[in-house]
């Protein structure tokens, strides 16, 4: 059985599955029940100055029968008294010494305020600190959260203040609401961060009530932009994790991956792109703490099947496979292939290709059989994959690699006059 233990910048945990700082980590009772279920760590819901939350806080996007494909919230940091939180943190750490207990922090941008909250969290027993520079709503209007994380100099400055007094590892939580997340990650590294976590939530308005004209979630007929998370944001999170993992100035900083993780497969993808631990929120808000049981079994079995003894052997294996577009091989050719015995004759591949892509699928109505017959026009196919993506029958349309007899040529090679391009559909139009 594979060893799932992790060490994120000095914070040790029995497995990589941590709860993200969010409603599931709002109280000591919740965190203790999560640890009983098998979670390896938890990041306590953000502590700071007392706040007042609104009533009505969440809204979601459902799609294709899936509830909460994306979740939006306008909830702020903890609204429970600081003393109560600190007392519960101490009790949880006393009862669960082996699990990682990280405390998320957010206070005004004053050195003394940060020094004070760091000392209070560590005295309560925190194994590490997560600096919340990511929350995009409410607190950012007060100069905190993403208002800090969107300015690299602020990120660096406050990280330095925290490191002046911190006795435990410091994680900087990054906002995705920036043009290039690497600039803020580099600032965190310069400030002395021991790790980074990402992504926090994305600015969003999820929907409008067409009868009342009120955005959701509605607070007395009004709303505000909120933070978007859940399965819908996973591709964005994976890209940002990969960007940091392959950045020359950040490639050694440990990463805690966050964003739409619901299964062990999601977690494995983040780890392959360089994450040490993963943090989960929306899936727990949807299905509860016990989802971690399948996550632990699935990831352990996957490592066994791959012949890997530890997560360290899996981590980062896909990082070098993420490249700039200019480095891709222009002579790698694939074409669609339709398994006619599996085709149900719906014609969806034809419609998608003809209207939305490259007009490389032919079709005619077979009235005798009551179906649409389709075929690939090989000379027109550019291997875009769209037909295989829309086909409702798994394995009916596959992409087949074609040997062209031409060697690898990148865009840089082509621009430099090196190599020869394989024939392409557009060549026939010249």
């Amino acid at each position: 059985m594979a060893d799932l233990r992790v060490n994120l910048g000095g914070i040790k945990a029995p497995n990589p599955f941590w709860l993200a700082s969010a409603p599931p980590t709002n109280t000591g009772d919740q965190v203790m029940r999560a640890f009983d279920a098998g979670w390896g760590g938890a990041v306590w819901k953000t502590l700071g100055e007392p706040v007042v939350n609104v009533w009505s806080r969440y809204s979601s996007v459902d799609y294709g029968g899936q509830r909460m494909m994306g979740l939006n919230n306008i909830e702020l940091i903890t609204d429970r008294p600081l003393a109560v939180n600190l007392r519960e943190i101490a009790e949880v750490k006393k009862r669960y010494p082996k699990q990682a207990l990280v405390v998320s922090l957010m206070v005004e941008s004053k050195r003394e305020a940060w020094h004070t909250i760091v000392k209070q969290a560590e005295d309560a027993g925190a194994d590490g600190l997560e600096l919340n520079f990511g929350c995009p709503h409410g607190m950012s209007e007060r100069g905190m959260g993403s208002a800090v994380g969107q300015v690299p100099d602020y990120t660096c400055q406050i990280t330095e203040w925290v490191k002046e007094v911190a006795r435990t590892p410091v994680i900087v939580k990054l906002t995705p609401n920036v043009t290039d997340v690497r600039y803020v990650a580099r600032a965190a590294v310069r400030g002395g961060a021991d790790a980074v976590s990402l992504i926090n939530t994305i600015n969003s308005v999820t929907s409008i009530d067409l009868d009342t004209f009120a955005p959701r979630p509605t607070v007395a007929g009004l709303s505000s932009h909120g933070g978007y998370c859940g399965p819908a944001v996973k591709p964005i999170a994976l890209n940002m994790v990969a960007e940091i993992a392959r950045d020359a100035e950040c490639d050694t900083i440990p990463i805690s991956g966050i964003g739409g993780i619901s299964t062990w497969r999601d977690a494995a993808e983040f780890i392959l792109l360089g994450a040490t631990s993963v943090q989960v929120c929306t899936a727990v808000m949807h299905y509860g703490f016990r989802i971690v049981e399948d996550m632990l079994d699935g990831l352990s079995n996957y490592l066994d099947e791959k012949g890997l003894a530890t997560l360290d052997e899996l981590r980062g294996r896909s990082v070098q496979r993420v490249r700039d577009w200019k480095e891709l091989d222009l002579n790698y050719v694939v074409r669609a292939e339709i398994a006619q015995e599996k085709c149900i004759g719906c014609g969806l591949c034809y419609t998608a290709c003809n209207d939305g892509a490259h007009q490389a699928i032919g079709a005619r109505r077979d009235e005798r059989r009551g179906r649409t017959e389709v075929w690939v026009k090989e000379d027109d196919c550019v291997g875009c994959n769209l037909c295989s993506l829309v086909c409702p029958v798994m394995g009916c349309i596959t992409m087949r690699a074609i040997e062209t007899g031409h060697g690898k040529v990148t865009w840089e090679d082509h621009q430099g006059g090196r190599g020869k391009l394989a024939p392409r559909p557009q060549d026939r139009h010249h």
Side-chain angles (χ1 to χ4, degrees):
M1 189 172 183
D3 183 353
L4 297 183
R5 289 178 298 178
V6 296
N7 184 336
L8 180 82
I11 305 171
K12 297 178 181 178
N15 65 63
F17 297 109
W18 298 8
L19 293 174
S21 173
T25 59
N26 192 39
T27 68
D29 172 69
Q30 288 172 287
V31 175
M32 287 191 282
R33 285 192 286 113
F35 285 164
D36 285 338
W39 292 88
V43 184
W44 204 274
K45 187 172 171 66
T46 304
L47 305 185
E49 296 298 318
V51 300
V52 177
N53 273 298
V54 294
W55 299 77
S56 183
R57 305 174 188 180
Y58 311 140
S59 63
S60 71
V61 173
D62 304 336
Y63 190 79
Q66 179 178 348
R67 302 300 306 274
M68 279 177 46
M69 180 196 74
L71 177 68
N72 165 290
N73 87 90
I74 57 172
E75 185 170 300
L76 305 184
I77 64 176
T78 182
D79 48 16
R80 301 191 314 139
L82 178 61
V84 173
N85 277 296
L86 295 173
R87 185 172 66 245
E88 293 179 3
I89 289 168
E91 184 63 24
V92 171
K93 195 60 215 174
K94 178 181 175 182
R95 294 192 190 186
Y96 297 84
K98 295 182 179 178
Q99 278 74 13
L101 186 59
V102 177
V103 177
S104 175
L105 303 174
M106 181 198 294
V107 292
E108 59 183 336
S109 298
K110 294 182 179 178
R111 174 188 261 127
E112 296 75 18
W114 279 100
H115 284 185
T116 298
I117 196 73
V118 166
K119 185 175 186 305
Q120 289 171 319
E122 291 187 332
D123 287 349
D127 295 311
L129 309 170
E130 184 179 79
L131 312 186
N132 185 342
F133 296 161
C135 260
H137 53 274
M139 303 308 289
S140 58
E141 299 168 15
R142 308 174 195 181
M144 293 179 267
S146 64
V148 173
Q150 290 171 327
V151 182
D153 286 346
Y154 295 169
T155 298
C156 180
Q157 177 70 83
I158 295 178
T159 304
E160 287 177 343
W161 290 346
V162 170
K163 289 293 291 183
E164 286 171 354
V165 295
R167 294 173 277 119
T168 60
V170 174
I171 307 167
V172 172
K173 189 170 187 177
L174 304 176
T175 175
N177 299 302
V178 292
T179 304
D180 189 335
V181 74
R182 292 175 297 181
Y183 289 97
V184 188
R186 291 167 186 166
V189 171
R190 288 197 301 274
D194 299 288
V196 294
S197 58
L198 70 157
I199 59 172
N200 206 309
T201 53
I202 300 172
N203 267 321
S204 60
V205 173
T206 46
S207 62
I208 307 292
D209 187 317
L210 296 182
D211 292 324
T212 66
F213 311 142
R216 300 185 178 97
T218 300
V219 181
L222 304 177
S223 191
S224 177
H225 70 88
Y228 194 53
C229 56
V233 312
K234 190 184 108 180
I236 299 167
L238 284 174
N239 174 58
M240 290 190 171
V241 167
E243 287 296 283
I244 291 174
R246 69 193 189 98
D247 184 74
E249 297 181 38
C250 302
D251 60 357
T252 60
I253 190 145
I255 299 169
S256 188
I258 313 168
I261 298 165
S262 304
T263 69
W264 71 265
R265 292 179 180 274
D266 298 329
E269 292 176 65
F270 276 84
I271 293 168
L272 281 165
L273 286 175
T276 295
S277 68
V278 295
Q279 298 183 28
V280 181
C281 171
T282 306
V284 168
M285 294 179 72
H286 197 162
Y287 300 110
F289 293 131
R290 292 190 62 181
I291 62 170
V292 75
E293 296 171 5
D294 286 342
M295 289 177 161
L296 290 167
D297 288 344
L299 187 59
S300 180
N301 291 337
Y302 173 67
L303 290 178
D304 289 345
E305 290 169 6
K306 291 292 183 184
L308 304 176
T310 70
L311 278 176
D312 289 339
E313 297 174 42
L314 181 69
R315 182 170 306 109
R317 284 199 171 198
S318 295
V319 173
Q320 291 304 315
R321 292 174 180 262
V322 180
R323 300 294 182 92
D324 291 342
W325 191 94
K326 64 184 179 182
E327 299 178 58
L328 302 180
D329 183 4
L330 298 173
N331 280 343
Y332 175 72
V333 175
V334 294
R335 291 202 181 106
E337 198 168 70
I338 301 173
Q340 295 293 344
E341 71 279 9
K342 294 182 179 178
C343 180
I344 60 174
C346 67
L348 188 55
C349 59
Y350 166 75
T351 301
C353 183
N354 200 45
D355 292 357
H358 300 280
Q359 301 81 51
I361 290 184
R364 59 173 164 255
R365 186 64 183 168
D366 185 339
E367 296 295 347
R368 183 179 62 82
R369 300 172 65 192
R371 53 178 289 167
T372 300
E373 181 184 354
V374 294
W375 65 92
V376 176
K377 296 189 278 187
E378 293 197 355
D379 289 343
D380 293 328
C381 180
V382 300
C384 71
N385 302 330
L386 181 61
C387 56
S388 67
L389 298 177
V390 301
C391 179
V393 181
M394 295 299 292
C396 178
I397 301 180
T398 54
M399 307 306 296
R400 177 168 54 92
I402 304 296
E403 177 55 54
T404 65
H406 292 73
K408 178 181 178 181
V409 174
T410 67
W411 174 249
E412 287 187 317
D413 293 331
H414 180 58
Q415 289 294 94
R418 298 181 295 275
K420 184 178 180 181
L421 292 179
R424 322 181 92 71
Q426 60 267 33
D427 294 342
R428 291 185 292 112
H429 303 299
H430 291 301

